[in-house]
Amino acid sequence: MGAGAPHGAGGQVRDPGGLRASLAGLTTRGRSFLAAGAAAAGCAYVLGQGQLLRVGLLLVALPLICVLTLHRTRHRVTGDRRLTPPRVPAGGEARVRLRLENVSRVPTGLLMLQDRVPYVLGPRPRFVLDRVEAGGKREVSYRVRSDLRGRYPLGPLQLRLTDPFGLVELTRSFSTYDTLTVVPRTEPLPPVRMTGEANGYGDGTRRSLALSGDDDVIPRTYRRGDDLRRVHWRSTARYGELMVRREETPQRSKATVLLDTRGGAYEGAGPDSAFEWAVSAAASTVLHVLEQGFSVRLLTDTGDSVPGEGAGGFSSGGQESAEAAGLMMDTLAVVGHSQGSGLGRACEAVRGSGGGLGSGGDGLLVAFFGDLDDVQTEMAARMRQRSAGAVAFVLDSATWAAAPSRVEERLRRLRDAGWTALAVPPGAAFADLWRQAGNAPVGTGTTPGGLV
């Protein structure tokens, strides 16, 4: 049975103790048969009754034969698990299919399957299989669901074997397990015009041609399938073969999604807490900007960047972008509160000096902050200096607790620094706030950008 694979792999039942462990699997009925058989054999010897001796031997032999049969059978039962899909959003369901195959030459007795699952995924599933013929297969399935994000192990699968007479019962476990990843809930976001993002070419400018004109264009040899409108006739005449202009490869706009995970910046816990709202909103933002063609990185207050340090920590295009999206969602599935108390490392990373993370200054910055004091507000304001556009969503604990708050003062300081800053009320729909951020007046020094 494959661990962590959606399609699983075959595996045999693990044998923890050999024949002695199989003898320990005798049920009360089996032990009673042994005791009755031994008593009958003893009486037959004392009384000289041959018929009674045969009965006693039969009573002793039957449980032992069952033990030997099951001892051999449990080596010849294989199983696998298929988890579909291996990654689901919080509140979503995944289906687990269990398949059991009897690869021995003799049928099995009564079988009971039990898969170990964390309590948060629901009750432990149990299935009873009456009899599996030689070479036969059986398949059962169950569903798992969790409202809490995280990574949850499924397995190992336990198999309980019994003989037709109920004299022996053996419990064995397969050695492998799978992992279900429950990622944060996401919601589709409307395309809006954010401030200061690039136009699809990295720093917002195209590479210009040389001042001398067409003569300095670097051509290449024509390849089958090239557009004939790109033929460079002057170079064709010069080299005596068909030459075409090289295509300019645009760079992708960059976006940094910053998630404040400081433990002291949030109060409360559970699916409806401010921190869980921030994690879900960050996940929605990551997926949205990736769909819009951005190169994206996920950054936390600790300065850690996902998908990594390659290309300045930003995702690449194509298949690598899809893999980066999966990596960022997996990270958000297990992200928790950090022990830090400040945003210093995040500020260094955003401004391009955070341990080789590279410069993220010419792209869009979307931040989700918890409580901000004067020092952290000033730190967040400095992050804006290297970003072409910056949007902040502030989850103030006092606001979520319906208590007096100084969040408007913090927002005013961020807006003065050029942020588009919004306070997040309890239970707010992120799509509405995203649309509101796109329609909000730009901060000092920002310019309109494209659609996000």
Side-chain angles (χ1 to χ4, degrees):
M1 189 178 303
H7 299 294
Q12 292 190 348
V13 177
R14 183 176 57 202
D15 180 17
L19 185 58
R20 180 174 298 179
S22 298
L23 287 171
L26 284 168
T27 63
T28 302
R29 181 184 299 177
R31 297 176 187 275
S32 299
F33 266 60
L34 286 177
C43 292
Y45 176 77
V46 172
L47 301 176
Q49 297 291 326
Q51 298 294 335
L52 184 58
L53 180 61
R54 294 188 184 94
V55 173
L57 293 177
L58 177 61
L59 292 175
V60 172
L62 185 58
L64 298 179
I65 293 174
C66 292
V67 168
L68 292 174
T69 302
L70 289 186
H71 178 73
R72 181 176 182 274
T73 300
R74 96 241 184 274
H75 285 293
R76 309 294 294 170
V77 178
T78 63
D80 66 66
R81 180 191 296 105
R82 294 175 183 265
L83 175 61
T84 310
R87 183 188 292 120
V88 297
E93 287 188 345
R95 178 180 289 274
V96 183
R97 291 182 173 86
L98 305 175
R99 189 180 66 170
L100 198 71
E101 181 178 0
N102 180 16
V103 296
S104 67
R105 297 181 180 179
V106 295
T108 69
L110 188 68
L111 301 179
M112 189 180 82
L113 298 179
Q114 177 177 278
D115 209 8
R116 291 185 178 181
V117 300
Y119 72 93
V120 72
L121 298 182
R124 183 170 295 183
R126 294 181 175 88
F127 305 93
V128 177
L129 304 180
D130 187 18
R131 180 178 180 272
V132 181
E133 65 278 5
K137 300 177 182 179
R138 298 291 186 272
E139 184 172 315
V140 293
S141 65
Y142 64 94
R143 293 182 178 273
V144 290
R145 178 182 180 276
S146 174
D147 291 326
L148 301 176
R149 58 185 176 84
R151 290 174 61 87
Y152 302 102
L154 301 177
L157 178 65
Q158 290 184 327
L159 177 64
R160 183 177 298 175
L161 303 91
T162 62
D163 66 285
F165 304 104
L167 303 178
V168 185
E169 183 177 278
L170 301 181
T171 301
R172 297 292 183 264
S173 296
F174 290 87
S175 58
T176 56
Y177 61 92
D178 292 280
T179 301
L180 174 67
T181 302
V182 181
V183 300
R185 290 187 181 92
T186 59
E187 54 182 304
L189 302 180
V192 297
R193 188 173 297 277
M194 290 295 183
T195 59
E197 55 179 288
N199 296 320
Y201 292 85
D203 58 0
T205 60
R206 297 175 181 266
R207 291 178 294 175
S208 60
L209 297 176
L211 294 177
S212 55
D214 268 355
D215 286 340
D216 288 335
V217 173
I218 302 177
R220 63 168 174 82
T221 306
Y222 173 83
R223 298 171 186 166
R224 185 174 181 179
D226 285 337
D227 190 347
L228 292 177
R229 291 175 294 184
R230 292 174 43 232
V231 173
H232 193 259
W233 296 109
R234 187 173 299 180
S235 297
T236 299
R238 177 183 299 175
Y239 295 107
E241 59 180 327
L242 202 58
M243 308 291 289
V244 296
R245 293 186 296 272
R246 294 179 182 271
E247 285 185 335
E248 181 183 337
T249 303
Q251 300 175 4
R252 305 177 75 199
S253 297
K254 294 179 180 179
T256 296
V257 179
L258 171 61
L259 176 62
D260 181 5
T261 64
R262 293 172 298 141
Y266 301 90
E267 293 183 4
D272 298 326
S273 64
F275 181 67
E276 291 300 323
W277 191 100
V279 173
S280 178
S284 300
T285 304
V286 164
L287 295 183
H288 179 73
V289 292
L290 281 172
E291 291 173 356
Q292 299 301 318
F294 280 67
S295 180
V296 184
R297 68 171 173 176
L298 174 66
L299 192 67
T300 67
D301 58 287
T302 61
D304 296 330
S305 179
V306 180
E309 296 188 2
F314 290 88
S315 62
S316 302
Q319 182 64 28
E320 293 183 4
S321 181
E323 294 176 357
L327 181 58
M328 285 185 274
M329 293 301 289
D330 288 346
T331 301
L332 290 172
V334 297
V335 68
H337 291 297
S338 70
Q339 300 299 319
S341 59
L343 299 173
R345 293 183 180 178
C347 184
E348 292 178 357
V350 171
R351 300 181 67 183
S353 60
L357 290 172
S359 174
D362 52 2
L364 177 67
L365 173 61
V366 182
F368 299 89
F369 294 120
D371 290 338
L372 296 175
D373 57 20
D374 292 337
V375 175
Q376 304 312 318
T377 301
E378 186 62 30
M379 194 77 66
R382 290 204 297 268
M383 297 181 193
R384 173 65 181 87
Q385 298 173 5
R386 293 291 305 276
S387 299
V391 183
F393 299 93
V394 182
L395 294 89
D396 182 67
S397 296
T399 301
W400 280 66
S405 172
R406 299 178 59 188
V407 67
E408 286 301 327
E409 180 180 337
R410 314 300 188 199
L411 296 178
R412 188 179 304 110
R413 176 65 187 93
L414 293 177
R415 289 164 184 161
D416 290 342
W419 285 83
T420 298
L422 298 175
V424 179
F430 181 53
D432 294 339
L433 289 177
W434 183 261
R435 185 181 294 105
Q436 183 179 347
N439 297 329
V442 299
T444 303
T446 59
T447 57
L451 292 178
V452 179

